[in-house]
Amino acid sequence: MRLLLLAPPGAGKGTQGERLAAWSGARHIAAGDLLRAQAHAGGLLGREIAAYQARGDLVPDQIVLDVLTPAVTEAATRGGYILDGFPRTLPQAIAAAELAARLDVTLDAAVYLHAPEAVLTGRLLDRASQSGRSDDRADVIQHRLQVFAETTGLLVPYYTERGILVAVDADQPPDSVTADIQARLSKLSLPRS
Ligand code: ADP
């Protein structure tokens, strides 16, 4: 199974990504986690990534592709991937589609998790005290939601036009969201990896 989770901050793509990976046997690849790991590793590149993340700005496409491509390639050769937070821009989507076509592992579905902005903000503020993330602060949360609306949100029509968008209401308890996603994917009769 080869999926992309497309969702604004706070919609639960990390939680759902882990569950879907356990369900399908595909590897969960969380772009934000891989970039945070690189940031913690330090060095020039790490410091640059950390600065973008702390501001809630997108990390430049070339850096993201350099960090993500090896993980996606490895997962693809093992039969499946659940991409969480990548691609997030049109150039990333085009690069990811070219990579997938080259490896003959194109996307089965792009799952779009949506919820009202007030719900997303509330969840992010709730988790802020435990997350330890530099970007879980009220002002940065607002900015991350704006970046989604202005940039990543454009991928919703992009994948709709390609006929693979699956939109799911994320304003429900996590188990219900998981059940909805699984029901929708089961109807597509995708291969399990
Ligand atoms: P959230 O979706 O809650 O913002 P993530 O962990 O997915 O959490 O992303 C956190 C940050 O990591 C983003 O604000 C951005 O700085 C960076 N990031 C993650 N994925 C990408 C990507 N595909 N392109 C650019 N930056 C990214």
Side-chain angles (χ1 to χ4, degrees), residues 47-169:
R47 284 198 294 278
E48 196 181 347
I49 292 173
Y52 282 103
Q53 289 194 311
R55 288 194 300 267
D57 283 326
L58 294 179
V59 174
D61 290 333
Q62 195 54 53
I63 296 179
V64 172
L65 289 168
D66 288 348
V67 172
L68 269 292
T69 302
V72 177
T73 305
E74 208 221 67
T77 56
R78 294 191 186 191
Y81 53 75
I82 315 263
L83 298 179
D84 157 356
F86 170 81
R88 239 159 150 128
T89 66
L90 210 51
Q92 287 178 24
I94 292 165
E98 280 169 4
L99 173 69
R102 205 162 55 234
L103 300 171
D104 197 23
V105 289
T106 48
L107 274 180
D108 296 315
V111 176
Y112 171 43
L113 301 175
H114 57 89
E117 196 158 312
V119 171
L120 301 172
T121 310
R123 287 182 186 173
L124 290 165
L125 288 173
D126 277 350
R127 105 175 167 197
S129 57
Q130 316 111 7
S131 79
R133 272 175 56 168
S134 59
D135 57 355
D136 277 347
R137 296 177 5 198
D139 54 340
V140 182
I141 286 170
Q142 273 324 307
H143 183 61
R144 283 156 61 206
L145 289 168
Q146 190 187 344
V147 168
F148 181 86
E150 289 172 358
T151 308
T152 310
L154 302 180
L155 297 182
V156 173
Y158 174 87
Y159 289 111
T160 304
E161 280 162 22
R162 278 152 189 79
I164 58 168
L165 194 89
V166 172
V168 170
D169 178 10

